Amino acid sequence: MNYVIKSIIPIIIGSVILHGMVKGVKVYECFVEGAKDGIKICIKIFPYLLAMLVAVSVFRESKAMDYLIKLAKPVVGLIGLPPELVPLAMVKPLSGSGAMGIFAETLKTYGADSYIGLVASIMMGSTETIFYTITVYYGAANIKKVRHTIFAAVFADITAIIMAVISAKFIS
């Protein structure tokens, strides 16, 4: 069984190549064209991505995140979110890797089977790195005005956090 699991990706790639060859598609040329397009997209979105990463780093290093967390603690008590998870809720929309670090520390401190660990796990699976995603996708599509996207995405994240709290209460 382990052999099948390890070979699934090569089987899929081989199947796609074989299917293309049977249909008369020049597979290698299509791959090269796709790679060229991918490089163009990477170059196109790089300034947006760099700006986002710099903004997140400046925000964290300026200690503004710490002040924002202190302000948010009384508010999150209203929805039942443990105060220990405020940093995760604040960082996740900004940085997936930063959120993963906070998540790992949370599980190490409180345990995966604790209520806090359970809520954190559900939050990690149901929330999104909003600003990173918007930066990458809108940058790739060359969209300058995000209009209602940020409001809708933040609302969806807040809903996901509330549902994480409710779900964890039912599970534990």
Side-chain angles (χ1 to χ4, degrees):
M1 185 66 173
N2 194 20
Y3 177 75
V4 173
I5 291 171
K6 287 184 178 179
S7 62
I8 196 95
I9 299 294
I11 290 170
I12 291 172
I13 292 171
S15 300
V16 169
I17 292 170
L18 185 63
H19 179 73
M21 291 171 67
V22 168
K23 293 289 185 175
V25 175
K26 296 180 179 178
V27 177
Y28 181 74
E29 287 81 8
C30 288
F31 174 78
V32 170
E33 284 301 313
K36 284 180 186 177
D37 290 344
I39 295 285
K40 288 177 189 174
I41 289 172
C42 287
I43 290 170
K44 190 176 179 181
I45 67 172
F46 180 74
Y48 300 101
L49 190 55
L50 181 63
M52 186 65 207
L53 293 174
V54 168
V56 169
S57 294
V58 167
F59 189 65
R60 267 192 269 160
E61 294 300 319
S62 71
K63 304 294 182 202
M65 178 67 76
D66 296 337
Y67 294 119
L68 194 58
I69 289 168
K70 285 180 185 176
L71 287 173
K73 279 188 180 180
V75 176
V76 297
L78 297 174
I79 62 169
L81 181 69
E84 296 84 359
L85 297 179
V86 170
L88 180 62
M90 295 292 188
V91 171
K92 180 69 189 243
L94 301 171
S95 168
S97 59
M100 188 57 77
I102 293 170
F103 175 64
E105 186 64 33
T106 301
L107 292 185
K108 193 165 79 171
T109 303
Y110 299 101
D113 293 331
S114 68
Y115 176 72
I116 291 174
L118 188 58
V119 174
S121 298
I122 297 170
M123 283 174 56
M124 284 297 290
S126 61
T127 58
E128 181 59 68
T129 52
I130 299 168
F131 297 102
Y132 174 83
T133 306
I134 289 172
T135 300
V136 170
Y137 291 137
Y138 278 26
N142 205 22
I143 298 172
K144 302 274 190 253
K145 297 179 182 177
V146 294
R147 296 186 41 119
H148 305 294
T149 306
I150 292 177
F151 173 77
V154 169
F155 185 74
D157 259 15
I158 291 170
T159 303
I161 291 168
I162 292 169
M163 291 309 297
V165 170
I166 293 169
S167 299
K169 285 182 181 176
F170 279 119
I171 294 170
S172 60

